[in-house]
CSV table of all heavy atoms in Angstrom, one decimal:
chain,number,residue,atom,x,y,z
A,134,THR,N,-36.5,-6.6,54.6
A,134,THR,CA,-36.6,-5.6,55.7
A,134,THR,C,-37.7,-6.0,56.7
A,134,THR,O,-37.5,-5.8,57.8
A,134,THR,CB,-37.0,-4.2,55.0
A,134,THR,OG1,-36.0,-3.8,54.2
A,134,THR,CG2,-37.1,-3.2,56.1
A,135,ALA,N,-38.8,-6.5,56.3
A,135,ALA,CA,-39.9,-6.9,57.1
A,135,ALA,C,-39.3,-8.0,58.1
A,135,ALA,O,-39.6,-8.0,59.3
A,135,ALA,CB,-41.0,-7.4,56.4
A,136,ILE,N,-38.6,-9.0,57.5
A,136,ILE,CA,-38.0,-10.0,58.4
A,136,ILE,C,-37.0,-9.5,59.4
A,136,ILE,O,-37.0,-9.8,60.5
A,136,ILE,CB,-37.3,-11.1,57.5
A,136,ILE,CG1,-38.3,-11.8,56.6
A,136,ILE,CG2,-36.6,-12.1,58.4
A,136,ILE,CD1,-37.7,-12.7,55.6
A,137,CYS,N,-36.1,-8.5,58.9
A,137,CYS,CA,-35.1,-8.0,59.8
A,137,CYS,C,-35.8,-7.2,61.0
A,137,CYS,O,-35.3,-7.3,62.1
A,137,CYS,CB,-34.2,-7.1,59.0
A,137,CYS,SG,-33.0,-8.1,58.0
A,138,VAL,N,-36.8,-6.4,60.6
A,138,VAL,CA,-37.5,-5.6,61.7
A,138,VAL,C,-38.2,-6.6,62.7
A,138,VAL,O,-38.2,-6.4,63.8
A,138,VAL,CB,-38.5,-4.7,61.0
A,138,VAL,CG1,-39.4,-4.1,62.1
A,138,VAL,CG2,-37.8,-3.6,60.2
A,139,GLU,N,-38.9,-7.6,62.1
A,139,GLU,CA,-39.6,-8.5,62.9
A,139,GLU,C,-38.8,-9.3,63.9
A,139,GLU,O,-38.9,-9.5,65.2
A,139,GLU,CB,-40.5,-9.5,62.2
A,139,GLU,CG,-41.3,-10.4,63.0
A,139,GLU,CD,-42.1,-11.4,62.1
A,139,GLU,OE1,-42.1,-11.2,60.9
A,139,GLU,OE2,-42.7,-12.3,62.7
A,140,ARG,N,-37.6,-9.7,63.4
A,140,ARG,CA,-36.7,-10.6,64.1
A,140,ARG,C,-35.6,-9.8,64.9
A,140,ARG,O,-34.9,-10.3,65.7
A,140,ARG,CB,-35.9,-11.5,63.2
A,140,ARG,CG,-36.8,-12.6,62.5
A,140,ARG,CD,-37.1,-13.8,63.4
A,140,ARG,NE,-35.9,-14.2,64.1
A,140,ARG,CZ,-34.8,-14.8,63.5
A,140,ARG,NH1,-34.8,-15.2,62.2
A,140,ARG,NH2,-33.8,-15.2,64.2
A,141,GLU,N,-35.5,-8.4,64.5
A,141,GLU,CA,-34.5,-7.6,65.2
A,141,GLU,C,-33.1,-8.1,64.8
A,141,GLU,O,-32.3,-8.2,65.7
A,141,GLU,CB,-34.8,-7.4,66.7
A,141,GLU,CG,-36.1,-6.8,67.0
A,141,GLU,CD,-36.3,-6.5,68.6
A,141,GLU,OE1,-35.4,-7.0,69.3
A,141,GLU,OE2,-37.2,-5.9,68.9
A,142,ILE,N,-32.9,-8.4,63.6
A,142,ILE,CA,-31.6,-8.9,63.1
A,142,ILE,C,-31.1,-8.0,62.0
A,142,ILE,O,-31.9,-7.2,61.4
A,142,ILE,CB,-31.7,-10.3,62.6
A,142,ILE,CG1,-32.6,-10.5,61.4
A,142,ILE,CG2,-32.0,-11.2,63.8
A,142,ILE,CD1,-32.7,-11.9,61.0
A,143,GLY,N,-29.9,-8.1,61.6
A,143,GLY,CA,-29.3,-7.4,60.4
A,143,GLY,C,-29.3,-8.3,59.3
A,143,GLY,O,-29.5,-9.5,59.3
A,144,LEU,N,-28.8,-7.7,58.2
A,144,LEU,CA,-28.7,-8.5,56.9
A,144,LEU,C,-27.8,-9.6,57.0
A,144,LEU,O,-28.0,-10.7,56.4
A,144,LEU,CB,-28.4,-7.5,55.7
A,144,LEU,CG,-29.4,-6.5,55.3
A,144,LEU,CD1,-28.9,-5.6,54.2
A,144,LEU,CD2,-30.7,-7.3,54.9
A,145,THR,N,-26.6,-9.5,57.6
A,145,THR,CA,-25.7,-10.5,57.7
A,145,THR,C,-26.3,-11.8,58.3
A,145,THR,O,-26.1,-12.9,57.9
A,145,THR,CB,-24.5,-10.2,58.6
A,145,THR,OG1,-23.8,-9.0,57.9
A,145,THR,CG2,-23.5,-11.3,58.7
A,146,GLU,N,-27.0,-11.6,59.5
A,146,GLU,CA,-27.6,-12.7,60.1
A,146,GLU,C,-28.7,-13.3,59.3
A,146,GLU,O,-28.9,-14.6,59.2
A,146,GLU,CB,-28.2,-12.3,61.5
A,146,GLU,CG,-28.8,-13.5,62.3
A,146,GLU,CD,-29.1,-13.1,63.7
A,146,GLU,OE1,-28.7,-12.1,64.2
A,146,GLU,OE2,-29.8,-13.9,64.4
A,147,LEU,N,-29.5,-12.4,58.6
A,147,LEU,CA,-30.5,-12.9,57.7
A,147,LEU,C,-30.0,-13.8,56.7
A,147,LEU,O,-30.5,-14.9,56.4
A,147,LEU,CB,-31.2,-11.7,57.1
A,147,LEU,CG,-32.2,-12.0,56.0
A,147,LEU,CD1,-33.4,-12.8,56.6
A,147,LEU,CD2,-32.7,-10.9,55.2
A,148,TYR,N,-28.9,-13.4,56.0
A,148,TYR,CA,-28.4,-14.2,54.8
A,148,TYR,C,-27.7,-15.4,55.3
A,148,TYR,O,-27.6,-16.4,54.6
A,148,TYR,CB,-27.5,-13.3,54.0
A,148,TYR,CG,-28.3,-12.5,53.0
A,148,TYR,CD1,-28.7,-11.2,53.2
A,148,TYR,CD2,-28.9,-13.0,51.8
A,148,TYR,CE1,-29.5,-10.4,52.4
A,148,TYR,CE2,-29.7,-12.3,51.0
A,148,TYR,CZ,-30.0,-11.0,51.3
A,148,TYR,OH,-30.8,-10.3,50.4
A,149,ASN,N,-27.1,-15.4,56.6
A,149,ASN,CA,-26.6,-16.6,57.1
A,149,ASN,C,-27.7,-17.6,57.3
A,149,ASN,O,-27.5,-18.9,57.0
A,149,ASN,CB,-25.9,-16.3,58.4
A,149,ASN,CG,-24.6,-15.6,58.3
A,149,ASN,OD1,-24.0,-15.7,57.2
A,149,ASN,ND2,-24.1,-15.0,59.4
A,150,GLU,N,-28.8,-17.2,57.7
A,150,GLU,CA,-30.0,-18.1,57.8
A,150,GLU,C,-30.5,-18.6,56.5
A,150,GLU,O,-31.0,-19.7,56.4
A,150,GLU,CB,-31.1,-17.4,58.7
A,150,GLU,CG,-30.7,-17.1,60.1
A,150,GLU,CD,-31.8,-16.4,60.9
A,150,GLU,OE1,-32.9,-16.2,60.3
A,150,GLU,OE2,-31.6,-16.2,62.1
A,151,VAL,N,-30.5,-17.7,55.5
A,151,VAL,CA,-30.8,-18.1,54.2
A,151,VAL,C,-29.9,-19.2,53.7
A,151,VAL,O,-30.4,-20.2,53.1
A,151,VAL,CB,-30.9,-16.9,53.2
A,151,VAL,CG1,-31.0,-17.4,51.8
A,151,VAL,CG2,-31.9,-15.9,53.5
A,152,ASP,N,-28.6,-19.0,53.9
A,152,ASP,CA,-27.7,-20.1,53.5
A,152,ASP,C,-28.0,-21.4,54.2
A,152,ASP,O,-27.7,-22.5,53.6
A,152,ASP,CB,-26.3,-19.6,53.9
A,152,ASP,CG,-25.7,-18.6,53.0
A,152,ASP,OD1,-26.3,-18.3,52.0
A,152,ASP,OD2,-24.7,-17.9,53.5
A,153,ASP,N,-28.6,-21.4,55.4
A,153,ASP,CA,-28.9,-22.6,56.1
A,153,ASP,C,-30.2,-23.1,55.8
A,153,ASP,O,-30.7,-24.1,56.3
A,153,ASP,CB,-28.8,-22.3,57.6
A,153,ASP,CG,-27.5,-22.0,58.2
A,153,ASP,OD1,-26.5,-22.5,57.5
A,153,ASP,OD2,-27.3,-21.3,59.2
A,154,GLY,N,-30.9,-22.5,54.8
A,154,GLY,CA,-32.1,-23.1,54.3
A,154,GLY,C,-33.4,-22.3,54.7
A,154,GLY,O,-34.5,-22.7,54.4
A,155,ALA,N,-33.3,-21.3,55.6
A,155,ALA,CA,-34.4,-20.5,56.0
A,155,ALA,C,-34.8,-19.5,55.0
A,155,ALA,O,-34.1,-19.2,54.0
A,155,ALA,CB,-34.1,-19.8,57.3
A,156,TRP,N,-36.0,-19.0,55.2
A,156,TRP,CA,-36.5,-17.8,54.4
A,156,TRP,C,-36.5,-18.1,52.9
A,156,TRP,O,-35.8,-17.4,52.1
A,156,TRP,CB,-35.7,-16.5,54.7
A,156,TRP,CG,-35.6,-16.2,56.2
A,156,TRP,CD1,-34.4,-16.3,57.0
A,156,TRP,CD2,-36.6,-16.0,57.2
A,156,TRP,NE1,-34.7,-16.0,58.3
A,156,TRP,CE2,-36.1,-15.8,58.4
A,156,TRP,CE3,-38.0,-15.8,57.0
A,156,TRP,CZ2,-36.8,-15.6,59.5
A,156,TRP,CZ3,-38.8,-15.6,58.1
A,156,TRP,CH2,-38.2,-15.5,59.4
A,157,THR,N,-37.2,-19.1,52.5
A,157,THR,CA,-37.3,-19.4,51.1
A,157,THR,C,-37.9,-18.3,50.3
A,157,THR,O,-37.6,-18.2,49.1
A,157,THR,CB,-38.1,-20.7,50.9
A,157,THR,OG1,-39.4,-20.5,51.4
A,157,THR,CG2,-37.5,-21.9,51.5
A,158,ASP,N,-38.7,-17.5,50.9
A,158,ASP,CA,-39.3,-16.3,50.2
A,158,ASP,C,-38.2,-15.3,49.8
A,158,ASP,O,-38.2,-14.8,48.6
A,158,ASP,CB,-40.4,-15.6,51.0
A,158,ASP,CG,-39.9,-15.2,52.4
A,158,ASP,OD1,-38.9,-15.7,52.9
A,158,ASP,OD2,-40.7,-14.5,53.1
A,159,VAL,N,-37.1,-15.2,50.6
A,159,VAL,CA,-36.0,-14.3,50.2
A,159,VAL,C,-35.2,-15.0,49.1
A,159,VAL,O,-34.9,-14.3,48.1
A,159,VAL,CB,-35.1,-14.1,51.4
A,159,VAL,CG1,-33.9,-13.2,51.0
A,159,VAL,CG2,-35.8,-13.3,52.5
A,160,ARG,N,-35.0,-16.3,49.3
A,160,ARG,CA,-34.3,-17.0,48.2
A,160,ARG,C,-35.0,-16.9,46.8
A,160,ARG,O,-34.4,-16.8,45.8
A,160,ARG,CB,-34.1,-18.5,48.6
A,160,ARG,CG,-33.2,-19.3,47.6
A,160,ARG,CD,-33.1,-20.7,48.2
A,160,ARG,NE,-32.7,-20.8,49.5
A,160,ARG,CZ,-31.4,-20.9,49.8
A,160,ARG,NH1,-30.4,-20.8,48.9
A,160,ARG,NH2,-31.0,-21.0,51.1
A,161,ASP,N,-36.3,-17.1,46.9
A,161,ASP,CA,-37.1,-17.1,45.6
A,161,ASP,C,-37.1,-15.7,45.0
A,161,ASP,O,-37.1,-15.5,43.7
A,161,ASP,CB,-38.6,-17.5,45.9
A,161,ASP,CG,-38.7,-19.0,46.3
A,161,ASP,OD1,-37.7,-19.8,46.0
A,161,ASP,OD2,-39.8,-19.4,46.8
A,162,ALA,N,-37.1,-14.7,45.9
A,162,ALA,CA,-37.1,-13.3,45.4
A,162,ALA,C,-35.8,-13.0,44.7
A,162,ALA,O,-35.7,-12.3,43.6
A,162,ALA,CB,-37.4,-12.3,46.5
A,163,HIS,N,-34.7,-13.5,45.2
A,163,HIS,CA,-33.4,-13.3,44.6
A,163,HIS,C,-33.4,-14.0,43.2
A,163,HIS,O,-32.8,-13.5,42.2
A,163,HIS,CB,-32.3,-13.9,45.5
A,163,HIS,CG,-31.7,-12.9,46.4
A,163,HIS,ND1,-30.8,-11.8,46.0
A,163,HIS,CD2,-31.9,-12.7,47.7
A,163,HIS,CE1,-30.5,-11.1,47.0
A,163,HIS,NE2,-31.1,-11.6,48.1
A,164,ALA,N,-33.9,-15.3,43.2
A,164,ALA,CA,-34.0,-16.0,42.0
A,164,ALA,C,-34.7,-15.3,40.9
A,164,ALA,O,-34.3,-15.3,39.7
A,164,ALA,CB,-34.5,-17.5,42.2
A,165,ALA,N,-35.8,-14.7,41.2
A,165,ALA,CA,-36.6,-14.0,40.3
A,165,ALA,C,-35.9,-12.8,39.8
A,165,ALA,O,-35.9,-12.5,38.6
A,165,ALA,CB,-38.0,-13.6,40.9
A,166,LEU,N,-35.2,-12.0,40.7
A,166,LEU,CA,-34.5,-10.9,40.3
A,166,LEU,C,-33.3,-11.2,39.4
A,166,LEU,O,-33.1,-10.6,38.4
A,166,LEU,CB,-33.9,-10.1,41.5
A,166,LEU,CG,-33.0,-9.0,41.3
A,166,LEU,CD1,-33.7,-7.9,40.6
A,166,LEU,CD2,-32.5,-8.4,42.6
A,167,ASP,N,-32.6,-12.3,39.8
A,167,ASP,CA,-31.4,-12.8,39.0
A,167,ASP,C,-31.9,-13.1,37.5
A,167,ASP,O,-31.1,-12.8,36.5
A,167,ASP,CB,-30.8,-14.0,39.6
A,167,ASP,CG,-30.1,-13.6,40.9
A,167,ASP,OD1,-29.8,-12.4,41.2
A,167,ASP,OD2,-29.8,-14.5,41.7
A,168,ALA,N,-33.1,-13.8,37.4
A,168,ALA,CA,-33.5,-14.1,36.1
A,168,ALA,C,-33.8,-13.0,35.3
A,168,ALA,O,-33.6,-12.8,34.0
A,168,ALA,CB,-34.7,-15.1,36.3
A,169,ALA,N,-34.4,-11.9,35.9
A,169,ALA,CA,-34.7,-10.7,35.1
A,169,ALA,C,-33.5,-10.0,34.7
A,169,ALA,O,-33.5,-9.4,33.6
A,169,ALA,CB,-35.6,-9.8,36.1
A,170,VAL,N,-32.5,-10.0,35.6
A,170,VAL,CA,-31.3,-9.3,35.2
A,170,VAL,C,-30.6,-10.1,34.0
A,170,VAL,O,-30.0,-9.5,33.1
A,170,VAL,CB,-30.2,-9.2,36.4
A,170,VAL,CG1,-29.0,-8.6,35.9
A,170,VAL,CG2,-30.9,-8.2,37.4
A,171,ALA,N,-30.6,-11.4,34.1
A,171,ALA,CA,-30.1,-12.2,33.0
A,171,ALA,C,-30.8,-11.9,31.8
A,171,ALA,O,-30.2,-11.7,30.6
A,171,ALA,CB,-30.2,-13.7,33.4
Side-chain angles (χ1 to χ4, degrees):
T134 297
I136 295 170
C137 288
V138 171
E139 180 182 354
R140 292 280 316 287
E141 297 184 351
I142 60 176
L144 289 176
T145 297
E146 185 172 347
L147 171 66
Y148 279 99
N149 286 340
E150 293 180 359
V151 171
D152 287 344
D153 291 336
W156 310 116
T157 56
D158 49 350
V159 174
R160 187 184 303 275
D161 291 345
H163 270 284
L166 174 62
D167 292 342
V170 172

